Amino acid sequence: LSIYYWEGQLENKQEAVLLLKTLPVNFAAIEARVMEMSSYETPCVIGWSIDQGHQPFLNWVAEGSGR
């Protein structure tokens, strides 16, 4: 459940969170696709850098996630 203000009105909506794990080079393409698919004018599409993590997992992501 999300509660937020949009255009001066308090909204109360059911929403889902989608978490994608990828390399920074893929962010722009993912953002563009989410924007195409979303019914929201300003969907929450964010990225963050990982500066620490379980090294075997980080290696797996860096190697292309098993491709």
Side-chain angles (χ1 to χ4, degrees), residues 2-21:
S2 291
I3 300 171
Y4 55 92
Y5 281 97
W6 181 251
E7 297 183 348
Q9 300 293 317
L10 184 62
E11 300 286 333
N12 183 339
K13 304 275 183 170
Q14 289 290 339
E15 294 185 320
V17 174
L18 173 64
L19 174 65
L20 303 172
K21 298 177 278 188

Side-chain angles (χ1 to χ4, degrees), residues 23-44:
L23 299 174
V25 68
N26 299 324
F27 182 82
I30 291 170
E31 179 184 25
R33 185 68 176 127
V34 170
M35 295 301 296
E36 289 173 10
M37 297 176 68
S38 179
S39 62
Y40 284 17
E41 185 177 324
T42 55
C44 177

